[in-house]
């Protein structure tokens, strides 16, 4: 029998930015991803109903409840945060993680980050079709991570030499649909594998070189590699 939540609960998760390896991470190459200090906050409110929100958000909420065996009936949602939507900063993954954490807290349950990330990956499929898992992993674990989609997926926390690397994220304010972008690349790669496979491999080598630059504190080399990756 599904658990009933009778108390308010909150969950939070951070956004992310992929430094290198975006898009090719879906095709088996590694990526380096950093958690942001911006994110999403979800509050579960018993005794009400989900208000006028996007239909996919309602679907995500119901899937999160099903994954945790929690009843969504009689629960309202309050969602806020400071993470722009449609800018490649992992807003949907942050929402998924925040939903799961709020539901788990309301049910009096402790969820390990690895379990949160795995469930959030399933919820992400509602938004992006075939996500790599990098967004949900970053939202659940935070920090600077090395990620490989697998299977099985794996990640590790990266060590940065010295005082770290300052990062500025500039928003273009141009909204993009990740599913469309990733799907288009997948179709082109399937049609011309002899062209795209070497490109994906080359980007993978850039990511590996960037890891060495981070670990040795070579900011100049890191910047060069990020430009090449772009």
């Amino acid at each position: 029998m599904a658990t009933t939540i009778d108390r308010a609960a909150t969950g939070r998760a951070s956004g992310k930015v992929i430094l290198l390896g975006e898009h090719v991470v879906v095709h088996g190459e590694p990526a380096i991803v950093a958690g942001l200090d911006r994110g999403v906050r979800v509050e579960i409110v018993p005794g009400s109903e989900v208000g006028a929100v996007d239909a996919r958000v309602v679907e995500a909420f119901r899937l999160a409840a099903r994954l945790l065996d929690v009843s969504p009936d009689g629960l309202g949602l309050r969602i806020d945060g400071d993470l722009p939507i449609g800018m490649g900063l992992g807003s949907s993954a942050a929402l998924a993680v925040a939903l799961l954490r709020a539901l788990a807290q309301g049910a009096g349950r402790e969820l390990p980050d690895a379990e949160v990330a795995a469930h959030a990956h399933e919820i992400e499929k509602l938004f992006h079709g075939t996500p790599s898992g990098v967004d949900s992993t970053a939202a659940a674990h935070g920090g600077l991570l090395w990620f490989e989609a697998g299977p099985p997926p794996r990640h590790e926390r990266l060590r940065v030499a010295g005082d770290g690397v300052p990062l500025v994220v500039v928003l273009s304010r141009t909204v993009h649909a990740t599913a469309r972008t990733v799907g288009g690349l997948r179709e082109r790669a399937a049609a011309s594998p002899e062209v795209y496979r070497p490109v994906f491999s080359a980007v993978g080598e850039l990511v590996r070189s960037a890891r060495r630059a981070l670990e040795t504190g070579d900011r100049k080399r890191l910047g060069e590699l990020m430009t090449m990756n772009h």
Side-chain angles (χ1 to χ4, degrees), residues 153-164:
R154 61 175 292 268
H155 76 275
E156 58 182 297
R157 199 166 297 279
L158 293 182
R159 176 181 58 83
V160 182
D163 299 326

Side-chain angles (χ1 to χ4, degrees), residues 41-67:
R41 177 182 178 275
V42 169
E43 183 180 8
I44 302 293
V45 186
S48 60
E49 294 294 335
V50 176
V53 296
D54 187 286
R56 289 182 303 173
V57 174
V58 177
E59 193 176 357
F61 171 58
R62 294 194 174 279
L63 177 54
R66 189 160 66 249
L67 289 168

